[in-house]
PDB file of all heavy atoms in Angstrom:
ATOM      1  N   LYS A  19      78.352  34.694 113.495  1.00  0.00           N
ATOM      2  CA  LYS A  19      77.728  34.066 112.336  1.00  0.00           C
ATOM      3  C   LYS A  19      76.472  34.830 111.908  1.00  0.00           C
ATOM      4  O   LYS A  19      76.304  35.145 110.726  1.00  0.00           O
ATOM      5  CB  LYS A  19      77.399  32.607 112.681  1.00  0.00           C
ATOM      6  CG  LYS A  19      76.768  31.808 111.578  1.00  0.00           C
ATOM      7  CD  LYS A  19      77.013  30.334 111.738  1.00  0.00           C
ATOM      8  CE  LYS A  19      76.138  29.650 112.764  1.00  0.00           C
ATOM      9  NZ  LYS A  19      74.733  29.555 112.357  1.00  0.00           N
ATOM     10  N   SER A  20      75.604  35.155 112.847  1.00  0.00           N
ATOM     11  CA  SER A  20      74.349  35.841 112.495  1.00  0.00           C
ATOM     12  C   SER A  20      74.648  37.188 111.862  1.00  0.00           C
ATOM     13  O   SER A  20      74.013  37.579 110.862  1.00  0.00           O
ATOM     14  CB  SER A  20      73.512  36.085 113.765  1.00  0.00           C
ATOM     15  OG  SER A  20      73.107  34.871 114.321  1.00  0.00           O
ATOM     16  N   HIS A  23      76.181  36.826 108.199  1.00  0.00           N
ATOM     17  CA  HIS A  23      75.146  36.559 107.177  1.00  0.00           C
ATOM     18  C   HIS A  23      74.433  37.840 106.787  1.00  0.00           C
ATOM     19  O   HIS A  23      74.223  38.140 105.614  1.00  0.00           O
ATOM     20  CB  HIS A  23      74.046  35.662 107.769  1.00  0.00           C
ATOM     21  CG  HIS A  23      74.355  34.217 107.843  1.00  0.00           C
ATOM     22  ND1 HIS A  23      74.637  33.455 106.733  1.00  0.00           N
ATOM     23  CD2 HIS A  23      74.360  33.361 108.905  1.00  0.00           C
ATOM     24  CE1 HIS A  23      74.814  32.188 107.118  1.00  0.00           C
ATOM     25  NE2 HIS A  23      74.654  32.107 108.416  1.00  0.00           N
ATOM     26  N   ARG A  24      74.024  38.586 107.813  1.00  0.00           N
ATOM     27  CA  ARG A  24      73.205  39.787 107.567  1.00  0.00           C
ATOM     28  C   ARG A  24      74.009  40.854 106.830  1.00  0.00           C
ATOM     29  O   ARG A  24      73.469  41.589 105.993  1.00  0.00           O
ATOM     30  CB  ARG A  24      72.654  40.311 108.888  1.00  0.00           C
ATOM     31  CG  ARG A  24      71.523  39.409 109.438  1.00  0.00           C
ATOM     32  CD  ARG A  24      71.292  39.619 110.902  1.00  0.00           C
ATOM     33  NE  ARG A  24      70.100  38.934 111.425  1.00  0.00           N
ATOM     34  CZ  ARG A  24      70.033  37.620 111.712  1.00  0.00           C
ATOM     35  NH1 ARG A  24      71.080  36.834 111.521  1.00  0.00           N
ATOM     36  NH2 ARG A  24      68.908  37.112 112.195  1.00  0.00           N
ATOM     37  N   THR A  92      69.824  29.984 108.680  1.00  0.00           N
ATOM     38  CA  THR A  92      69.719  31.441 108.579  1.00  0.00           C
ATOM     39  C   THR A  92      69.667  31.868 107.112  1.00  0.00           C
ATOM     40  O   THR A  92      68.821  32.673 106.712  1.00  0.00           O
ATOM     41  CB  THR A  92      70.901  32.132 109.301  1.00  0.00           C
ATOM     42  OG1 THR A  92      70.963  31.632 110.628  1.00  0.00           O
ATOM     43  CG2 THR A  92      70.730  33.639 109.334  1.00  0.00           C
ATOM     44  N   ARG A  95      66.176  30.746 105.563  1.00  0.00           N
ATOM     45  CA  ARG A  95      64.951  31.441 105.981  1.00  0.00           C
ATOM     46  C   ARG A  95      65.025  32.930 105.636  1.00  0.00           C
ATOM     47  O   ARG A  95      64.043  33.504 105.169  1.00  0.00           O
ATOM     48  CB  ARG A  95      64.709  31.204 107.475  1.00  0.00           C
ATOM     49  CG  ARG A  95      64.448  29.711 107.768  1.00  0.00           C
ATOM     50  CD  ARG A  95      63.791  29.503 109.111  1.00  0.00           C
ATOM     51  NE  ARG A  95      63.488  28.082 109.351  1.00  0.00           N
ATOM     52  CZ  ARG A  95      64.168  27.306 110.200  1.00  0.00           C
ATOM     53  NH1 ARG A  95      65.177  27.791 110.886  1.00  0.00           N
ATOM     54  NH2 ARG A  95      63.826  26.042 110.351  1.00  0.00           N
ATOM     55  N   LEU A  96      66.166  33.572 105.846  1.00  0.00           N
ATOM     56  CA  LEU A  96      66.228  35.018 105.565  1.00  0.00           C
ATOM     57  C   LEU A  96      66.121  35.288 104.068  1.00  0.00           C
ATOM     58  O   LEU A  96      65.419  36.193 103.632  1.00  0.00           O
ATOM     59  CB  LEU A  96      67.511  35.634 106.130  1.00  0.00           C
ATOM     60  CG  LEU A  96      67.393  36.179 107.569  1.00  0.00           C
ATOM     61  CD1 LEU A  96      67.040  35.095 108.556  1.00  0.00           C
ATOM     62  CD2 LEU A  96      68.666  36.888 107.998  1.00  0.00           C
ATOM     63  N   ARG A 119      64.456  20.487 108.163  1.00  0.00           N
ATOM     64  CA  ARG A 119      64.099  21.531 109.131  1.00  0.00           C
ATOM     65  C   ARG A 119      62.809  22.259 108.730  1.00  0.00           C
ATOM     66  O   ARG A 119      62.515  22.414 107.555  1.00  0.00           O
ATOM     67  CB  ARG A 119      65.284  22.499 109.308  1.00  0.00           C
ATOM     68  CG  ARG A 119      66.455  21.735 109.926  1.00  0.00           C
ATOM     69  CD  ARG A 119      67.630  22.600 110.201  1.00  0.00           C
ATOM     70  NE  ARG A 119      67.340  23.595 111.221  1.00  0.00           N
ATOM     71  CZ  ARG A 119      68.193  24.554 111.572  1.00  0.00           C
ATOM     72  NH1 ARG A 119      69.371  24.629 110.974  1.00  0.00           N
ATOM     73  NH2 ARG A 119      67.888  25.406 112.493  1.00  0.00           N
ATOM     74  N   ARG A 123      57.122  27.698 109.221  1.00  0.00           N
ATOM     75  CA  ARG A 123      57.206  28.908 110.051  1.00  0.00           C
ATOM     76  C   ARG A 123      57.511  30.180 109.251  1.00  0.00           C
ATOM     77  O   ARG A 123      57.182  31.267 109.696  1.00  0.00           O
ATOM     78  CB  ARG A 123      58.226  28.697 111.179  1.00  0.00           C
ATOM     79  CG  ARG A 123      59.585  28.287 110.667  1.00  0.00           C
ATOM     80  CD  ARG A 123      60.616  28.036 111.768  1.00  0.00           C
ATOM     81  NE  ARG A 123      60.211  27.025 112.733  1.00  0.00           N
ATOM     82  CZ  ARG A 123      60.743  26.911 113.936  1.00  0.00           C
ATOM     83  NH1 ARG A 123      61.685  27.734 114.328  1.00  0.00           N
ATOM     84  NH2 ARG A 123      60.341  25.968 114.754  1.00  0.00           N
ATOM     85  N   ALA A 163      59.729  32.264 119.281  1.00  0.00           N
ATOM     86  CA  ALA A 163      60.678  33.397 119.340  1.00  0.00           C
ATOM     87  C   ALA A 163      61.823  32.998 118.440  1.00  0.00           C
ATOM     88  O   ALA A 163      62.704  32.245 118.824  1.00  0.00           O
ATOM     89  CB  ALA A 163      61.161  33.600 120.769  1.00  0.00           C
ATOM     90  N   SER A 164      61.797  33.472 117.202  1.00  0.00           N
ATOM     91  CA  SER A 164      62.820  33.074 116.227  1.00  0.00           C
ATOM     92  C   SER A 164      63.262  34.274 115.419  1.00  0.00           C
ATOM     93  O   SER A 164      62.452  34.911 114.720  1.00  0.00           O
ATOM     94  CB  SER A 164      62.241  32.004 115.290  1.00  0.00           C
ATOM     95  OG  SER A 164      63.018  31.956 114.099  1.00  0.00           O
ATOM     96  N   ALA A 165      64.558  34.572 115.500  1.00  0.00           N
ATOM     97  CA  ALA A 165      65.092  35.691 114.741  1.00  0.00           C
ATOM     98  C   ALA A 165      65.078  35.391 113.252  1.00  0.00           C
ATOM     99  O   ALA A 165      65.004  36.309 112.420  1.00  0.00           O
ATOM    100  CB  ALA A 165      66.505  36.006 115.189  1.00  0.00           C
ATOM    101  N   GLN A 166      65.128  34.120 112.903  1.00  0.00           N
ATOM    102  CA  GLN A 166      65.086  33.773 111.483  1.00  0.00           C
ATOM    103  C   GLN A 166      63.703  34.078 110.910  1.00  0.00           C
ATOM    104  O   GLN A 166      63.580  34.614 109.808  1.00  0.00           O
ATOM    105  CB  GLN A 166      65.479  32.301 111.280  1.00  0.00           C
ATOM    106  CG  GLN A 166      66.939  32.067 111.643  1.00  0.00           C
ATOM    107  CD  GLN A 166      67.381  30.634 111.490  1.00  0.00           C
ATOM    108  OE1 GLN A 166      66.580  29.760 111.165  1.00  0.00           O
ATOM    109  NE2 GLN A 166      68.648  30.381 111.743  1.00  0.00           N
ATOM    110  N   VAL A 167      62.659  33.732 111.665  1.00  0.00           N
ATOM    111  CA  VAL A 167      61.298  34.027 111.211  1.00  0.00           C
ATOM    112  C   VAL A 167      61.081  35.530 111.168  1.00  0.00           C
ATOM    113  O   VAL A 167      60.633  36.093 110.159  1.00  0.00           O
ATOM    114  CB  VAL A 167      60.260  33.351 112.148  1.00  0.00           C
ATOM    115  CG1 VAL A 167      58.849  33.827 111.844  1.00  0.00           C
ATOM    116  CG2 VAL A 167      60.354  31.825 112.037  1.00  0.00           C
ATOM    117  N   SER A 169      63.219  37.932 110.933  1.00  0.00           N
ATOM    118  CA  SER A 169      64.028  38.603 109.913  1.00  0.00           C
ATOM    119  C   SER A 169      63.462  38.345 108.515  1.00  0.00           C
ATOM    120  O   SER A 169      63.475  39.241 107.653  1.00  0.00           O
ATOM    121  CB  SER A 169      65.476  38.118 109.966  1.00  0.00           C
ATOM    122  OG  SER A 169      66.003  38.334 111.254  1.00  0.00           O
ATOM    123  N   ARG A 191      67.062  37.393 119.013  1.00  0.00           N
ATOM    124  CA  ARG A 191      68.214  38.250 118.680  1.00  0.00           C
ATOM    125  C   ARG A 191      67.790  39.353 117.708  1.00  0.00           C
ATOM    126  O   ARG A 191      67.005  39.105 116.784  1.00  0.00           O
ATOM    127  CB  ARG A 191      69.371  37.412 118.127  1.00  0.00           C
ATOM    128  CG  ARG A 191      69.122  36.725 116.835  1.00  0.00           C
ATOM    129  CD  ARG A 191      70.220  35.711 116.512  1.00  0.00           C
ATOM    130  NE  ARG A 191      70.210  34.614 117.464  1.00  0.00           N
ATOM    131  CZ  ARG A 191      71.168  33.690 117.595  1.00  0.00           C
ATOM    132  NH1 ARG A 191      72.217  33.730 116.815  1.00  0.00           N
ATOM    133  NH2 ARG A 191      71.074  32.745 118.492  1.00  0.00           N
ATOM    134  N   ILE A 310      69.878  30.075 123.116  1.00  0.00           N
ATOM    135  CA  ILE A 310      69.350  28.847 122.496  1.00  0.00           C
ATOM    136  C   ILE A 310      70.474  27.997 121.883  1.00  0.00           C
ATOM    137  O   ILE A 310      70.501  26.787 122.046  1.00  0.00           O
ATOM    138  CB  ILE A 310      68.221  29.170 121.465  1.00  0.00           C
ATOM    139  CG1 ILE A 310      67.534  27.894 121.011  1.00  0.00           C
ATOM    140  CG2 ILE A 310      68.712  30.000 120.298  1.00  0.00           C
ATOM    141  CD1 ILE A 310      66.635  27.258 122.030  1.00  0.00           C
ATOM    142  N   ASP A 311      71.449  28.646 121.226  1.00  0.00           N
ATOM    143  CA  ASP A 311      72.530  27.873 120.593  1.00  0.00           C
ATOM    144  C   ASP A 311      73.570  27.393 121.594  1.00  0.00           C
ATOM    145  O   ASP A 311      74.419  26.557 121.266  1.00  0.00           O
ATOM    146  CB  ASP A 311      73.228  28.714 119.518  1.00  0.00           C
ATOM    147  CG  ASP A 311      72.304  28.998 118.326  1.00  0.00           C
ATOM    148  OD1 ASP A 311      71.313  28.273 118.152  1.00  0.00           O
ATOM    149  OD2 ASP A 311      72.579  29.954 117.580  1.00  0.00           O
ATOM    150  N   GLU A 334      62.545  24.256 120.930  1.00  0.00           N
ATOM    151  CA  GLU A 334      63.215  24.607 119.663  1.00  0.00           C
ATOM    152  C   GLU A 334      64.487  23.783 119.441  1.00  0.00           C
ATOM    153  O   GLU A 334      64.943  23.628 118.309  1.00  0.00           O
ATOM    154  CB  GLU A 334      63.563  26.099 119.663  1.00  0.00           C
ATOM    155  CG  GLU A 334      62.403  26.997 119.269  1.00  0.00           C
ATOM    156  CD  GLU A 334      61.991  26.806 117.818  1.00  0.00           C
ATOM    157  OE1 GLU A 334      62.806  27.098 116.943  1.00  0.00           O
ATOM    158  OE2 GLU A 334      60.862  26.366 117.574  1.00  0.00           O
ATOM    159  N   LYS A 338      66.904  22.099 115.560  1.00  0.00           N
ATOM    160  CA  LYS A 338      68.160  22.734 115.164  1.00  0.00           C
ATOM    161  C   LYS A 338      68.901  21.795 114.199  1.00  0.00           C
ATOM    162  O   LYS A 338      68.307  20.894 113.628  1.00  0.00           O
ATOM    163  CB  LYS A 338      68.991  23.075 116.404  1.00  0.00           C
ATOM    164  CG  LYS A 338      68.334  24.137 117.280  1.00  0.00           C
ATOM    165  CD  LYS A 338      68.239  25.460 116.559  1.00  0.00           C
ATOM    166  CE  LYS A 338      67.559  26.528 117.384  1.00  0.00           C
ATOM    167  NZ  LYS A 338      67.342  27.764 116.657  1.00  0.00           N
ATOM    168  N   GLU A 339      70.215  21.980 114.016  1.00  0.00           N
ATOM    169  CA  GLU A 339      70.962  21.184 113.041  1.00  0.00           C
ATOM    170  C   GLU A 339      70.819  19.692 113.323  1.00  0.00           C
ATOM    171  O   GLU A 339      70.952  18.848 112.436  1.00  0.00           O
ATOM    172  CB  GLU A 339      72.428  21.595 113.024  1.00  0.00           C
ATOM    173  CG  GLU A 339      72.699  22.940 112.334  1.00  0.00           C
ATOM    174  CD  GLU A 339      72.470  24.173 113.204  1.00  0.00           C
ATOM    175  OE1 GLU A 339      71.615  24.127 114.142  1.00  0.00           O
ATOM    176  OE2 GLU A 339      73.139  25.186 112.961  1.00  0.00           O
ATOM    177  N   ARG A 384      77.667  22.322 116.794  1.00  0.00           N
ATOM    178  CA  ARG A 384      77.635  22.662 118.230  1.00  0.00           C
ATOM    179  C   ARG A 384      77.709  21.407 119.109  1.00  0.00           C
ATOM    180  O   ARG A 384      78.202  21.459 120.227  1.00  0.00           O
ATOM    181  CB  ARG A 384      76.402  23.515 118.552  1.00  0.00           C
ATOM    182  CG  ARG A 384      76.367  24.784 117.721  1.00  0.00           C
ATOM    183  CD  ARG A 384      75.697  25.960 118.370  1.00  0.00           C
ATOM    184  NE  ARG A 384      75.595  27.048 117.411  1.00  0.00           N
ATOM    185  CZ  ARG A 384      76.575  27.915 117.116  1.00  0.00           C
ATOM    186  NH1 ARG A 384      77.739  27.822 117.715  1.00  0.00           N
ATOM    187  NH2 ARG A 384      76.390  28.863 116.222  1.00  0.00           N
TER     188      ARG A 384
HETATM  189  C1  S3P B   1      69.827  32.708 114.095  1.00  0.00           C
HETATM  190  C2  S3P B   1      68.720  32.520 114.872  1.00  0.00           C
HETATM  191  C3  S3P B   1      68.515  31.348 115.724  1.00  0.00           C
HETATM  192  C4  S3P B   1      69.812  30.578 115.965  1.00  0.00           C
HETATM  193  C5  S3P B   1      70.600  30.405 114.704  1.00  0.00           C
HETATM  194  C6  S3P B   1      70.947  31.747 114.096  1.00  0.00           C
HETATM  195  C7  S3P B   1      69.908  33.924 113.258  1.00  0.00           C
HETATM  196  O1  S3P B   1      67.608  30.472 115.096  1.00  0.00           O
HETATM  197  O2  S3P B   1      69.535  29.323 116.548  1.00  0.00           O
HETATM  198  O3  S3P B   1      71.796  29.694 114.978  1.00  0.00           O
HETATM  199  O4  S3P B   1      71.023  34.240 112.758  1.00  0.00           O
HETATM  200  O5  S3P B   1      68.888  34.583 113.098  1.00  0.00           O
HETATM  201  P1  S3P B   1      66.018  30.648 115.243  1.00  0.00           P
HETATM  202  O6  S3P B   1      65.652  31.972 114.709  1.00  0.00           O
HETATM  203  O7  S3P B   1      65.420  29.545 114.440  1.00  0.00           O
HETATM  204  O8  S3P B   1      65.738  30.507 116.711  1.00  0.00           O
END
Side-chain angles (χ1 to χ4, degrees):
K19 181 155 78 69
S20 295
H23 280 300
R24 287 161 171 79
T92 307
R95 296 198 177 107
L96 269 61
R119 295 183 65 185
R123 55 182 57 199
S164 160
Q166 293 179 357
V167 170
S169 303
R191 65 191 66 192
I310 190 73
D311 292 340
E334 278 293 297
K338 294 296 178 186
E339 286 82 331
R384 303 210 187 278

